[in-house]
Amino acid sequence: MTIKLHDFGSEHSLTLDVGALAADVAVAEAGHESNGYFWEGLVRFAWPDIAEPLDFDSEAGMFCAIGIPSDLAQLKTALESVIASPDAVCDIIARAETSGFEFDD
C-alpha cells in the first residue's frame, strides 16, 4: 500500500511515497511536480479541516503528516480517494489555481 500509518509510541504519522502514483501524470500535466510538498499543499487546500490539526514533515519523495490516529485515519481516507484518480487531482488543482492557491512544489 502506498499510504502507511505509523505508530512510534507517542508519535503517530502517515506517509505517502510519491512519484509512482496513478495521479502523478495528471500532476505533471498541470505543470507541477509530484513530490511531498505538492501533496502537502493539495491536502492543505482540499481538506483544510483535516490538515489544520496536523503537523507536516514532507520531503521530495515522501509526503508525511504527524498527528493523532483519528485525524490521520481521516486523512488516509481522503487521500485514498484521489491518489488513484487523475481526474480528482485535476479537479482539485483547477479549484486551487482558480482560488489563487499556490503549490510549493
Side-chain angles (χ1 to χ4, degrees):
M1 172 104 276
T2 305
I3 300 173
K4 299 176 189 96
L5 292 171
H6 307 276
D7 178 353
F8 300 108
S10 63
E11 186 173 281
H12 304 275
S13 64
L14 175 148
T15 59
L16 169 65
D17 294 326
V18 297
L21 304 172
D24 286 346
V25 171
V27 173
E29 288 176 353
H32 297 284
E33 185 177 338
S34 182
N35 59 33
Y37 309 111
F38 168 82
W39 287 97
E40 184 177 321
L42 185 133
V43 166
R44 289 181 187 275
F45 175 80
W47 307 291
D49 293 346
I50 294 174
E52 196 272 321
L54 300 174
D55 291 319
F56 296 93
D57 189 19
S58 299
E59 301 173 357
M62 179 187 71
F63 166 81
C64 179
I66 302 162
I68 62 171
S70 59
D71 291 341
L72 296 172
Q74 273 190 296
L75 177 59
K76 182 177 186 282
T77 299
L79 281 170
E80 286 173 337
S81 71
V82 299
I83 62 171
S85 174
D87 290 341
V89 171
C90 284
D91 178 61
I92 293 169
I93 292 170
R95 288 188 290 122
E97 291 175 348
T98 298
S99 76
F101 184 86
E102 292 190 28
F103 290 95
D104 181 24
D105 57 338

